[in-house]
């Protein structure tokens, strides 16, 4: 069910119409130039540099994976750019008083070339502010 919600939201984020009934319709996402292979490798190399060098929270010494960093950097980039994201709640209340929620973010593979460039620039700036030394593409 979450996959359907993500596909619907991505269609809306991409400028497509929200399909009736919340489902996803083939062809509802307009074609945008997607990120290049070089952009993809650059993005992931920079995230790996952050993952290998930057403990978070700063003084804990705890390192996290590149995927962990990708999610948080994407969210903060979206917040900084005032881009919409969606907080969702479960369909069923289990009656235990615990309030659960989830956060839907775009997959970086769905970013167009300009968005991927902006996110990469944001990641470089964030890493530089926190003392990350970035390697050359293909050497890290």
């Amino acid at each position: 069910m979450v996959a359907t919600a993500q596909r619907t939201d991505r269609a809306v984020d991409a400028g497509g119409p929200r399909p009736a009934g919340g489902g996803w319709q083939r062809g509802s996402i307009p074609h945008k130039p997607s990120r290049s292979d070089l952009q993809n490798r650059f993005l992931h190399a920079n995230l790996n540099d952050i993952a290998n060098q930057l403990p978070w929270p700063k003084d804990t010494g705890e390192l996290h994976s590149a995927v962990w960093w990708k999610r948080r950097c994407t969210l903060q980039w979206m917040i900084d750019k005032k881009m919409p994201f969606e907080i969702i709640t479960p369909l069923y209340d289990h009656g235990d008083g615990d309030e659960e929620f989830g956060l839907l973010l775009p997959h970086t593979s769905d970013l167009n070339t300009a968005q991927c460039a902006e996110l990469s620039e944001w990641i470089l700036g964030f890493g530089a502010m926190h003392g990350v030394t970035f390697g050359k593409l293909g050497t890290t």
Side-chain angles (χ1 to χ4, degrees):
M1 192 56 97
V2 172
T4 301
Q6 288 175 330
R7 283 182 267 168
T8 300
D9 292 336
R10 290 187 347 218
V12 172
D13 290 343
R18 180 176 296 276
W24 184 69
Q25 296 174 352
R26 175 175 264 197
S28 65
I29 301 174
H31 176 72
K32 289 186 177 185
S34 60
R35 66 184 184 180
S36 68
D37 181 58
L38 182 60
Q39 276 187 307
N40 184 50
R41 289 185 295 141
F42 183 70
L43 176 72
H44 286 274
N46 292 332
L47 288 165
N48 280 315
D49 286 340
I50 290 174
N52 292 327
Q53 297 175 43
L54 183 57
W56 203 265
K58 192 81 166 149
D59 297 325
T60 64
E62 185 177 353
L63 294 174
H64 301 281
S65 71
V67 171
W68 188 94
W69 278 107
K70 180 167 59 171
R71 291 178 182 144
R72 281 146 185 88
C73 288
T74 300
L75 174 60
Q76 191 60 56
W77 168 68
M78 291 179 71
I79 290 169
D80 290 354
K81 298 274 298 167
K82 298 187 181 356
M83 296 170 69
F85 55 90
E86 186 174 357
I87 298 173
I88 59 170
T89 57
L91 295 175
Y92 302 108
D93 179 8
H94 296 289
D96 57 9
D98 290 337
E99 194 168 332
E100 297 180 13
F101 63 92
L103 182 64
L104 294 179
L105 296 172
H107 294 252
T108 57
S109 60
D110 289 335
L111 299 178
N112 63 34
T113 53
Q115 291 169 324
C116 190
E118 288 177 13
L119 176 58
S120 292
E121 186 176 314
W122 189 96
I123 289 169
L124 289 171
F126 173 82
M129 283 185 352
H130 294 283
V132 173
T133 302
F134 292 101
K136 293 182 181 173
L137 186 59
T139 63
T140 58

